[in-house]
Amino acid sequence: MLPVEVAAAPSAPVLVAARARWFRLARECAWLAAVGACAFVGVLLFGLLALDSGARPVPDATAVVRVAEGDTLWSMAARFAPDSDQGAVVDRIVELNRLDPAAPALGGALVVPAQRG
């Protein structure tokens, strides 16, 4: 008869070490998944908050105003359309008057978007 080798069953310390490695790996994966989920929710909430900034669109109504000393396009946008996005109002003033946004003419008349009421 030929000799037959019988594989010995793994010892208890080997099984315990393997199980400990598996639990450590599972715990690390769960922690990583939790951090990823929190980051996803944070970015989603930030995006939803930024979506509605509360600013209304630029008004369609316009008014003709004189540029006084110290006036800037930004100050006029804040005065005549305070609830709108100020950058969009300034862009609209530049577009309506075809002017250089850096220096409105002192004493000149400008057409500006104006909020009613």
Side-chain angles (χ1 to χ4, degrees):
M1 206 151 130
L2 296 171
V4 178
E5 289 188 31
V6 177
S11 65
V14 171
L15 289 176
V16 170
R19 186 173 290 155
R21 277 193 308 269
W22 188 86
F23 280 122
R24 186 172 53 246
L25 179 65
R27 187 173 53 242
E28 289 174 1
C29 288
W31 181 83
L32 188 59
V35 168
C38 288
F40 174 76
V41 169
V43 168
L44 183 66
L45 288 176
F46 181 74
L48 289 175
L49 290 174
L51 186 63
D52 182 22
S53 64
R56 295 190 302 198
V58 177
D60 289 331
T62 59
V64 177
V65 297
R66 292 250 175 237
V67 179
E69 185 175 345
D71 276 345
T72 64
L73 295 179
W74 288 92
S75 67
M76 288 189 282
R79 189 172 5 157
F80 294 102
D83 294 336
S84 299
D85 176 23
Q86 300 301 292
V89 174
V90 168
D91 291 343
R92 183 73 174 130
I93 293 171
V94 170
E95 177 185 328
L96 286 170
N97 297 283
R98 296 184 186 104
L99 50 89
D100 176 19
L106 184 63
L110 288 180
V111 178
V112 298
Q115 197 173 318
R116 293 183 190 211

